[in-house]
Amino acid sequence: MFLLFYFWILIQVVIGFNLVFPLGLLMLRTIRKLFIKVEKTDEAMQPVKRDYAIVVTAYLYTDFISSAVESLLQLNYSNYIIYVVADNCDTTGLHFDSDKVVLLKPKYALGANVRSHLHAIDNFIRPHTHITIIDCDNTTHPEYLNQLNVCFDNGFQAVQGLRAAKNLDTNYACLDAARDIYYHFYDGKILFESGSSATLSGSGMAFKIDFYSEAFKTYRPGGAGFDKVLQFNIVKLKLRIAFNEHAIVYDAKTTHAEQLVNQRARWINSWFRFFKYGFTLIGRGVANFSWKQFIFGVVLLRPPLFMFLLGSVLFFLINCIVSPIIAGVWLLAMICFVVSFGISLVSSNTDKRVYASLKNIPRFIFYQLVSLWNMRKANKLSVATKHTS
């Protein structure tokens, strides 16, 4: 009986911790910024002209490749080559006049982002110093590469940029954008400024080329989640992933329910596959007295947003019956989360359409529950998200 009671308390603490964790990170960041003004590593260097390989990956669909490449050709930077990897795509309608664009069509379907990246590396037309990953539905800010260089000049070997919303044309797109704003703010900006590493987001990220190739030396790619493997391999080496909110990539957001369900099913599946890395990093953090490894491990263990929010509501309702005092604690924790979520939106100059869409959060969560159910067959779903806007 006592064992059951302690387990009941423990599971509530584990779920409730996620509600107050963002405010804890904010306080830690505020304290740290009083002492550290500029983020640098011990390997900070003089600015140099880096040679970028920009890898644009596409699987099945080529609808947005031309706009992605056109955007990249407008970068305020000259030393780069764009490698378009059209995996299992019909490329008859793709033609690029610029000598900065190399179109690669693998002989066999690769079916994984990492395989596309490595295919591009194997076909480089010259030895590049750095690589940045762009999805085919992305576009970039003209200063994207220059902003990446700011972090590389300060000695970092890996950088995550900001994935801003490219479209806000439906409630689903706005809610998708709200979720991204929350994660970019806390798992990117605040986590990095707290002394740990920013999490990776799948695109809008850049690395030293030899560092990137080494990170996947023993990894067999398959399904979603390559960014989780990559960030784990970086942080376990006691290195940090920088975050630069001015290195902006515009990302297409989901616009309808089926698209949302399929995409989230893959993402939820990847969390269940890779959350175990969090235990490894927490252990390494304790053994190495490393705050950055420990706190990053905690972040990796955190379940998807909708899961701990639903769990919190469930525990609150149960405690309203069995323990009103604990129910009050749950209410306070949920208020803390709402405040932290609001801070992320206000701090990110959020479009008013995103605020207006928040009333549809219950429907958004419902479709993520459907995604959770579909998680079992996530790897059978297309690895591409087909956007319609």
Side-chain angles (χ1 to χ4, degrees):
M1 190 67 179
F2 280 108
L3 196 60
L4 187 60
F5 172 76
Y6 285 123
F7 176 76
W8 169 247
I9 296 299
L10 176 63
I11 192 68
Q12 290 190 76
V13 171
V14 169
I15 297 297
F17 170 78
N18 293 289
L19 295 174
V20 299
F21 179 65
L23 286 184
L25 270 183
L26 273 176
M27 289 188 289
L28 178 64
R29 188 281 301 261
T30 301
I31 295 171
R32 190 171 183 271
K33 288 193 76 172
L34 294 176
F35 301 97
I36 299 178
K37 301 300 182 184
V38 178
E39 292 283 358
K40 292 186 178 182
T41 72
D42 293 334
E43 300 178 357
M45 59 192 71
Q46 293 297 319
V48 297
K49 193 71 171 178
R50 295 175 178 85
D51 185 1
Y52 281 93
I54 304 176
V55 178
V56 180
T57 58
Y59 181 73
L60 293 179
Y61 311 115
T62 62
D63 310 50
F64 293 90
I65 291 180
S66 295
S67 61
V69 171
E70 182 181 353
S71 168
L72 291 168
L73 291 173
Q74 302 302 314
L75 290 168
N76 292 331
Y77 199 83
S78 60
N79 202 21
Y80 66 89
I81 296 292
I82 304 166
Y83 296 89
V84 178
V85 184
D87 181 20
N88 203 17
C89 296
D90 179 3
T91 59
T92 54
L94 289 179
H95 302 286
F96 303 105
D97 296 329
S98 173
D99 57 3
K100 283 187 172 294
V101 184
V102 177
L103 178 61
L104 301 172
K105 184 170 174 58
K107 293 181 179 179
Y108 307 100
L110 302 176
N113 282 319
V114 177
R115 293 193 187 107
S116 292
H117 304 163
L118 297 179
H119 181 77
I121 292 172
D122 290 339
N123 290 275
F124 280 175
I125 62 174
R126 68 182 188 228
H128 298 278
T129 61
H130 291 71
I131 184 172
T132 182
I133 308 300
I134 302 294
D135 283 343
C136 65
D137 57 17
N138 294 160
T139 55
T140 50
H141 189 282
E143 291 297 315
Y144 174 66
L145 293 183
N146 288 321
Q147 286 298 326
L148 292 178
N149 280 338
V150 172
C151 296
F152 288 126
D153 288 342
N154 286 328
F156 293 97
Q157 299 187 60
V159 185
Q160 175 64 56
L162 177 71
R163 289 177 16 131
K166 182 179 176 182
N167 59 299
L168 295 172
D169 48 340
T170 70
N171 281 325
Y172 293 116
C174 290
L175 288 168
D176 197 5
R179 171 202 169 277
D180 273 9
I181 290 169
Y182 170 81
Y183 277 118
H184 274 305
F185 186 72
Y186 288 106
D187 290 13
K189 178 181 174 67
I190 303 302
L191 189 59
F192 173 60
E193 293 179 355
S194 298
S196 188
S197 289
T199 57
L200 294 176
S201 301
S203 70
M205 52 188 187
F207 313 89
K208 291 181 65 176
I209 187 65
D210 53 347
F211 179 74
Y212 184 79
S213 299
E214 184 68 22
F216 283 116
K217 198 170 185 180
T218 60
Y219 173 57
R220 293 184 177 180
F226 81 94
D227 47 346
K228 291 179 171 53
V229 177
L230 182 55
Q231 64 190 12
F232 169 73
N233 287 339
I234 293 171
V235 178
K236 78 176 182 181
L237 295 174
K238 300 182 181 179
L239 299 173
R240 295 174 64 202
I241 303 164
F243 180 78
N244 190 331
E245 63 186 324
H246 303 296
I248 302 173
V249 167
Y250 299 97
D251 180 56
K253 300 306 173 188
T254 54
T255 55
H256 57 270
E258 181 182 2
Q259 183 187 63
L260 174 69
V261 168
N262 289 342
Q263 183 190 71
R264 292 306 196 273
R266 297 194 303 272
W267 291 2
I268 295 168
N269 177 271
S270 70
W271 179 80
F272 278 102
R273 289 171 60 202
F274 299 118
F275 82 96
K276 60 186 177 183
Y277 289 157
F279 293 112
T280 302
L281 287 181
I282 288 175
R284 283 178 179 250
V286 173
N288 298 326
F289 298 99
S290 172
W291 164 256
K292 62 187 177 187
Q293 289 182 324
F294 181 86
I295 198 66
F296 199 84
V298 171
V299 170
L300 294 189
L301 288 179
R302 185 191 53 199
L305 194 60
F306 81 97
M307 291 175 66
F308 73 75
L309 288 179
L310 286 178
S312 300
V313 172
L314 178 62
F315 284 123
F316 168 70
L317 294 175
I318 293 174
N319 279 293
C320 283
I321 299 172
V322 301
S323 178
I325 294 178
I326 296 181
V329 175
W330 273 110
L331 181 59
L332 181 61
M334 287 189 286
I335 291 173
C336 287
F337 177 80
V338 171
V339 170
S340 64
F341 192 87
I343 290 173
S344 70
L345 297 181
V346 172
S347 301
S348 304
N349 297 318
T350 302
D351 190 287
K352 61 182 180 181
R353 288 172 290 180
V354 174
Y355 288 108
S357 73
L358 296 181
K359 64 179 180 293
N360 295 297
I361 285 177
R363 180 183 299 178
F364 195 73
I365 290 178
F366 167 75
Y367 282 116
Q368 294 193 77
L369 284 172
V370 176
S371 301
L372 181 63
W373 176 256
N374 289 342
M375 180 195 71
R376 299 166 293 115
K377 56 181 181 180
N379 287 330
K380 296 180 181 178
L381 300 171
S382 169
V383 297
T385 299
K386 183 172 177 59
H387 294 282
T388 56
S389 62

